[in-house]
C-alpha cells in the first residue's frame, strides 16, 4: 500500500505531512528533493528516507558521506553544482553575441558553503568565456518582477536561472518574464523549458525517480539506508525550446540542436 502526500508547493506544510506518514508507521519514505528530506528528517530518525533529487546531501547534513550515508537517509544526488560552467557555455553557444549574463538565484536553497561554491564556479566560467556575470536574488514569488526589472536596467543579454522548489512552482511566471523582457534563458530543470524557457542542461529527474524506486525495493527487502551508497545522477539531458528561440528571434546553431536530447517545436 502506498500513502501519498502533496504540499502543492506550500513548503511550510511539509513537516505536518511528513508527520502524518510517520504516524501511519510507513516502512520507507520517498522524498523528492531537499525541502522534502528536511521535513522528513525533522520527524523521524528511524524510518528510512530515500531522496530522488538532492544537490549536495553531505553539505545538507543528510549523509556523512556519499559512500557511507551512516543514517536513515540515502538516495540520488544531482550534479547541479557541477554544471554551472556548462550552463554558461551552452548559453553562449546558443546566443553567440552574449556579453553580460544575469544569474538569478534563490539564497538559502543550498547551505552557505555550497552556495559559495556555485557562485565561484559561475564566476570562473564567466571569466574563461569572456562574459560579465551579474547575480540577482529572488527569495519569494513577489521578488521575480523586481529581479527581471533589475536585469533590464543592467541591460543583460541573457539569464541563467538557478533555484529550488520555489522556482519550479513559479516556472511559468519565470518563463513569461524572461520572454517579456526578451531574455534567452537557461535552467537546471527541464520543467522550466517545458513552461517556455529557452534551454536546460540537467539530470533527468524521471530517471532519478526510477532509480530511487530501486532503493525503496532494497530497503523493503531488508537493506539498511545507512549501508546504501548515495549515487550521482547518471543521465544528463539537453532540452531546447525552438518555439521560444523563434519568438526571441534566435537561430539555434545546428551543431547544438544535434546534441539536444529533446527539442520542443
Amino acid at each position: 500500500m502506498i500513502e501519498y502526500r502533496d504540499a502543492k508547493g506550500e513548503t511550510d506544510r511539509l513537516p505536518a505531512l511528513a508527520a502524518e506518514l510517520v504516524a501511519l508507521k510507513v516502512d520507507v519514505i520517498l522524498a523528492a528533493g531537499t525541502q522534502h528530506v528536511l521535513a522528513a528528517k525533522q520527524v523521524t530518525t528511524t524510518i528510512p528516507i530515500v531522496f530522488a533529487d538532492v544537490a549536495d546531501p553531505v553539505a545538507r547534513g543528510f549523509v556523512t558521506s556519499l559512500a557511507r550515508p551512516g543514517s536513515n537517509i540515502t538516495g540520488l544526488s544531482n550534479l547541479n553544482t557541477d554544471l554551472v560552467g556548462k550552463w554558461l557555455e551552452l548559453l553562449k553557444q546558443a546566443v553567440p553575441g552574449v556579453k553580460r549574463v544575469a544569474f538569478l538565484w534563490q539564497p538559502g536553497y543550498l547551505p552557505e558553503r555550497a552556495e559559495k561554491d556555485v557562485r565561484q564556479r559561475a564566476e570562473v566560467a564567466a571569466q574563461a568565456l569572456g562574459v560579465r556575470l551579474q547575480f540577482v536574488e529572488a527569495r519569494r514569488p513577489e521578488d521575480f518582477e523586481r529581479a527581471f526589472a533589475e536585469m533590464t536596467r543592467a541591460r543583460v543579454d541573457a539569464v541563467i536561472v538557478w533555484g529550488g522548489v520555489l522556482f519550479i512552482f513559479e516556472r511559468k511566471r519565470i518563463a513569461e518574464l524572461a520572454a517579456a523582457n526578451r531574455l534567452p534563458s537557461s535552467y537546471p530543470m527541464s520543467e522550466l523549458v517545458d513552461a517556455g524557457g529557452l534551454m536546460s542542461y540537467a539530470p533527468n529527474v524521471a530517471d532519478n525517480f526510477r532509480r530511487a524506486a530501486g532503493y525503496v525495493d532494497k530497503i523493503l527487502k531488508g537493506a539498511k539506508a545507512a549501508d546504501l551508497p548515495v549515487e550521482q545522477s547518471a543521465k544528463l539531458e539537453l532540452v531546447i525550446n525552438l518555439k521560444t528561440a523563434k519568438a526571441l528571434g534566435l537561430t539555434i546553431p545546428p551543431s547544438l540542436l544535434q546534441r539536444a536530447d529533446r527539442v520542443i517545436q
Side-chain angles (χ1 to χ4, degrees):
M1 181 177 177
I2 297 175
E3 290 287 342
Y4 180 75
R5 296 293 185 275
D6 184 0
K8 300 184 184 301
E10 300 175 23
T11 55
D12 58 337
R13 295 182 57 216
L14 289 172
L17 296 178
E20 288 181 19
L21 295 176
V22 171
L24 290 171
K25 298 181 180 180
V26 298
D27 296 307
V28 59
I29 296 174
L30 176 60
T34 300
Q35 298 301 321
H36 307 82
V37 180
L38 283 170
K41 185 174 182 286
Q42 289 175 12
V43 293
T44 182
T45 58
T46 56
I47 296 176
I49 300 168
V50 175
F51 55 82
D53 187 38
V54 170
D56 193 337
V58 177
R60 279 290 184 185
F62 296 158
V63 299
T64 303
S65 71
L66 299 184
R68 299 286 296 179
S71 67
N72 64 318
I73 306 173
T74 189
L76 279 296
S77 174
N78 66 47
L79 300 167
N80 280 350
T81 55
D82 297 328
L83 297 177
V84 180
K86 195 66 178 178
W87 299 334
L88 196 54
E89 177 188 329
L90 290 169
L91 186 56
K92 189 164 184 181
Q93 290 177 27
V95 192
V98 66
K99 294 294 183 183
R100 189 182 184 102
V101 175
F103 193 99
L104 178 63
W105 68 299
Q106 180 185 4
Y109 166 50
L110 288 180
E112 185 178 352
R113 180 183 64 81
E115 285 185 350
K116 184 177 179 181
D117 180 51
V118 169
R119 289 177 64 108
Q120 288 178 338
R121 288 172 184 263
E123 289 168 348
V124 169
Q127 185 175 8
L129 293 168
V131 172
R132 186 174 179 183
L133 207 59
Q134 176 176 340
F135 290 92
V136 182
E137 297 183 2
R139 298 173 182 270
R140 302 170 297 276
E142 55 268 29
D143 290 340
F144 290 118
E145 293 278 356
R146 184 266 313 153
F148 276 91
E150 184 178 332
M151 294 178 210
T152 299
R153 287 194 299 271
R155 298 183 179 180
V156 300
D157 302 309
V159 56
I160 290 174
V161 179
W162 182 73
V165 175
L166 169 65
F167 283 36
I168 293 176
F169 279 93
E170 293 291 331
R171 59 188 180 275
K172 184 176 180 182
R173 188 177 177 201
I174 294 172
E176 288 173 347
L177 284 167
N181 289 277
R182 300 198 60 77
L183 288 174
S185 49
S186 176
Y187 306 91
M189 299 162 280
S190 62
E191 292 93 336
L192 282 95
V193 182
D194 291 324
L198 178 63
M199 62 192 299
S200 66
Y201 184 65
N204 184 307
V205 177
D207 183 64
N208 275 13
F209 272 95
R210 284 192 290 269
R211 293 170 63 195
Y215 279 83
V216 173
D217 181 60
K218 289 177 182 178
I219 290 170
L220 292 177
K221 290 177 178 177
K224 294 182 179 180
D227 299 329
L228 295 176
V230 173
E231 296 180 7
Q232 298 279 13
S233 300
K235 187 175 181 180
L236 296 169
E237 63 175 6
L238 173 62
V239 180
I240 299 173
N241 191 321
L242 271 188
K243 184 178 179 180
T244 298
K246 291 175 182 176
L248 291 170
L250 294 175
T251 300
I252 304 297
S255 58
L256 194 57
L257 287 175
Q258 289 171 5
R259 294 171 55 191
D261 298 278
R262 184 159 62 94
V263 176
I264 300 173
Q265 302 282 355

